[in-house]
Amino acid sequence: MKKTLTGMMFLFLTACSSSSNPVLDAVIGGMSVTQVEGYFDLDQKQEKEFEKEIKKDLQRIQQQQLQEFAQAIRKFDVRVPVEKTDSEILSEVFDKLEGEYKKASGAFQNSAVHLVGMLREEQFVHFEKQVRTEIQKARAEGINPKNDELLARYKKQIKYWVGPTTVHQNHLLQQFVIKEPFPWKERLDNREKMLNQFLSNRQDAKKMRQFIAQFMTDYDSLRTTEYAEAMNGYEDRFKGFLNKFWTTLDYGQKQQLRVSLNKQAQEVERYVMNSHGVK
């Protein structure tokens, strides 16, 4: 929903999730090392160092965070059959995913600091050109393509969790996207502000480290006031929509939600076991 922990886990890149598991996406975000490397045009030595640091940070997440996350997901699974019509379970799941994302983002602080410490001036220039071009293109496109993409993404995610949706449910989702527009302009303004702050610190290594550390561990504190207020309001309305959407789920969809939650917990646990060499 925000920078959604991906290749943009480092410095203002856009979400590009590659995992088929939305739980793992929330935690490790379909992390695309290749995308980050491309934005900064890293040389071979830098790539190897960066990937080495990423593995260290990822190992910490595997060891410390994922097992607890799987247990939390299982608690939601158990609750589904006994939740009443006015349940807020879907918005609670949303909050849990957001919270895990923030924790995981902070876990990659060392990699991010190490990355910017390696950069040469021409790589900052390359990065600036890439990001400004994307911002300009996004402003020129307007909001309609973005809203279409957002609606498609919501539909895909909801189908993943509860299975096929009804005509009425699809209509509710479409109406939410239309009537409660995502703050695209504020998001782009914020991205540009972050980019300018990042670039302004590139001649001062200490300030750069401090900025990157804050960006990774407390991103919300760096957002523009307009974007922070807009996103907080949007997320509140989205959670309200999820609460309303829960009332439309039939027995089969709730059963599918249980299956999906259990599947995600199993896959996260398997991921943790494999990270420790358990086959």
Side-chain angles (χ1 to χ4, degrees):
M1 181 66 66
K2 296 177 183 176
K3 48 185 170 42
T4 50
L5 190 55
T6 70
M8 164 48 218
M9 212 161 42
F10 296 96
L11 317 177
F12 340 115
L13 315 187
T14 318
C16 180
S17 178
S18 62
S19 171
S20 62
N21 184 326
V23 171
L24 288 177
D25 282 349
V27 183
I28 63 173
M31 175 59 190
S32 173
V33 173
T34 301
Q35 186 188 32
V36 176
E37 292 170 347
Y39 267 87
F40 291 102
D41 193 26
L42 302 184
D43 60 37
Q44 193 172 36
K45 181 180 178 181
Q46 289 172 323
E47 289 177 5
K48 289 181 178 180
E49 284 192 40
F50 177 53
E51 291 170 11
K52 181 179 178 181
E53 294 300 315
I54 283 289
K55 288 179 181 178
K56 292 179 185 177
D57 288 340
L58 192 55
Q59 187 175 34
R60 280 194 291 272
I61 292 177
Q62 291 167 339
Q63 293 173 344
Q64 299 172 9
Q65 184 178 353
L66 287 176
Q67 188 64 46
E68 294 178 2
F69 193 23
Q71 292 172 0
I73 291 297
R74 289 194 184 283
K75 290 180 181 178
F76 286 119
D77 170 16
V78 173
R79 283 177 51 189
V80 170
V82 297
E83 293 295 301
K84 298 180 180 180
T85 303
D86 60 351
S87 168
E88 297 182 353
I89 187 170
L90 291 182
S91 57
E92 290 178 40
V93 173
F94 171 82
D95 278 337
K96 184 62 180 176
L97 291 171
E98 284 285 288
E100 292 300 321
Y101 157 66
K102 290 180 180 179
K103 284 168 60 179
S105 181
F108 285 92
Q109 173 187 341
N110 292 340
S111 299
V113 170
H114 189 84
L115 171 66
V116 296
M118 297 188 295
L119 297 177
R120 302 183 296 273
E121 176 61 22
E122 65 267 23
Q123 291 173 313
F124 283 105
V125 172
H126 181 83
F127 176 75
E128 178 181 13
K129 182 179 179 180
Q130 294 267 88
V131 177
R132 290 205 190 282
T133 298
E134 289 185 357
I135 292 172
Q136 291 170 1
K137 181 180 178 182
R139 292 192 192 281
E141 286 177 346
I143 65 171
N144 287 337
K146 298 182 183 65
N147 284 341
D148 290 343
E149 291 175 7
L150 184 63
L151 178 60
R153 186 159 66 248
Y154 282 163
K155 285 183 176 179
K156 181 179 179 181
Q157 288 298 312
I158 289 175
K159 183 178 180 180
Y160 189 95
W161 288 103
V162 303
T165 49
T166 66
V167 172
H168 174 62
Q169 289 169 334
N170 288 335
H171 177 73
L172 286 176
L173 183 58
Q174 186 171 25
Q175 287 302 301
F176 173 79
V177 172
I178 293 172
K179 293 181 179 180
E180 302 291 351
F182 186 87
W184 298 112
K185 179 184 181 300
E186 291 85 354
R187 185 181 193 180
L188 289 172
D189 290 345
N190 182 74
R191 192 182 185 199
E192 193 160 23
K193 179 237 183 183
M194 293 285 191
L195 174 62
N196 291 336
Q197 277 190 264
F198 172 67
L199 294 171
S200 69
N201 290 321
R202 68 182 184 269
Q203 301 300 331
D204 188 320
K206 183 178 179 180
K207 287 185 178 180
M208 176 61 83
R209 287 195 299 270
Q210 292 173 340
F211 174 74
I212 296 302
Q214 185 176 357
F215 183 90
M216 301 302 293
T217 60
D218 190 17
Y219 168 75
D220 288 354
S221 68
L222 292 172
R223 295 185 296 178
T224 65
T225 301
E226 295 77 11
Y227 183 55
E229 292 177 352
M231 276 304 304
N232 289 338
Y234 182 82
E235 288 187 358
D236 285 343
R237 294 190 294 274
F238 183 69
K239 287 188 285 187
F241 166 77
L242 291 177
N243 295 338
K244 182 178 180 181
F245 193 81
W246 169 262
T247 68
T248 72
L249 298 184
D250 60 26
Y251 175 80
Q253 289 174 319
K254 290 179 180 179
Q255 289 300 106
Q256 180 58 47
L257 177 59
R258 294 196 68 193
V259 170
S260 298
L261 286 166
N262 187 53
K263 177 183 177 184
Q264 307 321 312
Q266 287 180 339
E267 290 187 1
V268 169
E269 288 167 344
R270 189 179 303 118
Y271 183 78
V272 173
M273 290 176 67
N274 289 340
S275 76
H276 292 297
V278 180
K279 302 299 182 181

